[in-house]
Amino acid sequence: MNTPFTIDEEAPILQSVVDYKKKQKQRQVLAHLYTEGTCTLAHLTKMLHSSVPSVTSLVEELIDTKWVTPIGTATGSNGRRPVLFGLNTQHNYIAVLDVSTHDTKILLMNIYRKIIFRGDYDLRLQDNPTFLSSLAHNFTSALADSGIKPDDVIAVGVSMPGLIDARRGVNLTYMNLQQTGESLTHGLSEQLKKPVYLINDTKATVLGESRFGGAQGKKQVLAINIDWGVGLGIVVNGEVFQGASGFAGELGHIQVDPEGELCYCGKIGCLNTITSASALVKRVQRDILAGRVSKMASFRDQVDKIDIDEIINAAHHGDSYAIDVLHETGFQLGKGLAVAISLFNPEIIIVDGVLAKAAAFILNTIEQAISKYCLSDFRNDMTIELTQLEGTAKWLGTHAYVMEDIFANY
C-alpha cells in the first residue's frame, strides 16, 4: 500500500529530474545563442523539440538572470513579427589575458566576443613567483580603465605558452609561477577574485579557428601557431585534442636535425631551433654580424634591433637573403607538418602566429615540403590556408573555452 511517506520521498527525486532537464535545455539555449547570435522562440522550440509555453518559461528565466534579452523583431512582412532573443551584452563580460614571452595583452570582451577594452603591457612571461602579482596588478588597472563594473566580469581566461595541465591548473614549463602544491589558477583566482581558466596558447588558437575561423564546420583540423615557439593545435572529430595530460601538439619539440642546436627543452635539433621566430631572429643576427650581404647589414653595429618584423619587411622589399631565410623556414615547417599530417589526416591546416605575416614567402615552401615528405593520398583532400582572423584566433578561442565551460555547468 502506498503511504504519504513514500509519495513525499519520491517528490524530490521527480523535481530534481525536472530541474535537470530544464537546466539542460537552458544550456542548449545559451550555447546556441553564443554561436548563432539571435533566434526566435519558434526556432528554439523546434531546436529543443519542446512546446512554446515550456520554451517561453525557459527564456523568461534566463532573462531574469540577465543571460538573455529581447533585442528586436525578426524581418518579414507577413503578420506580426516574432521577437528576436540574444545574449545580454550588458552583463557577463570575460577578461582574456594573453600572456607571452614578449608581452601581455588584456582584453575585456562582452558575451558575443566583442572587444570592449584592450590594454597592451610590457609584461613578459617569466618563471618566477612575482609574475602573477604583476599580472594581477595589470588586470586591476585594465578593469579600472575599461569602465566595466567588476561584478559584471564573470570569469578570466588566461592563455600562455608551455606544457599546461588544465585539469590541475598548472604550467609545467613555468613551474615557479605558483607556490609548491598550489595551482596557478587557484593562486591567480585568489588575487583577481574571479574564477580563472588556463589554456595553452596554441590550443586557444585552434579552438578559435574551429569555432569562428576558417575551420568552422571541419571535423579534423590542424592549426600551426608559429610564434616564439612552434605549436600545433589539433581538432579531432570537432573537439580540441588534449592528450593524456593536455600536452598534445608540441610539434616544436620533434627532432629535425640530430646535429643541430640545443633547444631550451634540453634536446638537440628541435624544430623550434630552426623555425620559431626567436630562432629565425638569432640566425639572421648571427649572419649579419658575420658579414652576410643584405639590406639588414645597416644593423651590423646594433644587431639586437633586428626583429621578426624587420626580417619580414626586408623580404617584402626584395631582400634576397631575407627571402631565402623565410623560404627555408617554410620548408622545415612543412617537413614537420608532414609528420602530423600522416598521424591525423586533417581536412585543413590553418597557419597562424607572428610568421603569418610572411605568408607570401612560407606558404608555398610549406606545401612543397608536404608534397615531398607526405603520401599524396593525404594531400588530395586537404587544404592549407592562412588565418582569416587577423591575430584574434587566440583571444576568441580563450573566450570560447571559458564560455563553453560556464554553459556546460550552468
Side-chain angles (χ1 to χ4, degrees), residues 16 21 34 47 55 66 69 184 218 235 264 271 320 322:
S16 66
K21 289 183 176 180
Y34 181 70
M47 182 192 76
V55 173
K66 298 183 179 180
T69 186
L184 186 156
K218 306 291 185 182
V235 169
Y264 64 84
L271 189 64
S320 60

Side-chain angles (χ1 to χ4, degrees), residues 15 137 272 297 380:
Q15 185 61 43
H137 173 75
N272 272 343
N380 291 338

Side-chain angles (χ1 to χ4, degrees), residues 122-287:
D122 186 22
L123 178 64
R124 304 183 181 196
L125 178 58
Q126 295 179 332
D127 193 20
N128 63 62
T130 64
F131 178 80
L132 291 187
S133 297
S134 298
L135 185 61
H137 173 75
N138 286 332
F139 169 79
T140 302
S141 297
L143 188 55
D145 292 342
S146 71
I148 295 172
K149 297 177 182 177
D151 287 347
D152 285 337
V153 177
I154 58 172
V156 176
V158 181
S159 72
M160 61 171 60
L163 296 176
I164 289 176
D165 185 338
R167 297 169 304 175
R168 293 191 291 146
V170 297
N171 189 332
L172 298 182
T173 305
Y174 298 89
M175 286 296 292
N176 295 317
L177 290 176
Q178 58 272 336
Q179 296 179 2
T180 303
E182 181 183 61
S183 73
L184 186 156
T185 49
H186 176 75
L188 192 55
S189 181
E190 289 270 297
Q191 296 186 59
L192 303 185
K193 310 302 181 186
K194 303 287 179 184
V196 172
Y197 294 78
L198 180 65
I199 185 172
N200 169 270
D201 56 352
T202 299
K203 289 181 175 60
T205 297
V206 76
L207 182 58
E209 293 289 354
S210 177
R211 298 294 189 264
F212 313 110
Q216 271 186 294
K218 306 291 185 182
K219 294 293 186 181
Q220 319 299 331
V221 180
L222 298 180
I224 185 166
N225 184 27
I226 318 163
D227 207 280
W228 301 102
V230 178
L232 183 71
I234 305 163
V235 169
V236 176
N237 295 328
E239 297 299 326
V240 176
F241 180 64
Q242 298 284 354
S245 302
F247 306 153
E250 288 295 327
L251 186 71
H253 293 294
I254 65 169
Q255 189 184 67
V256 292
D257 184 3
E259 305 298 323
E261 297 182 13
L262 177 68
C263 181
Y264 64 84
C265 73
K267 311 300 181 184
I268 299 294
C270 291
L271 189 64
N272 272 343
T273 66
I274 298 175
T275 61
S276 67
S278 55
L280 191 58
V281 169
K282 288 177 183 176
R283 175 182 170 184
V284 170
Q285 289 175 343
R286 188 167 58 240
D287 286 353

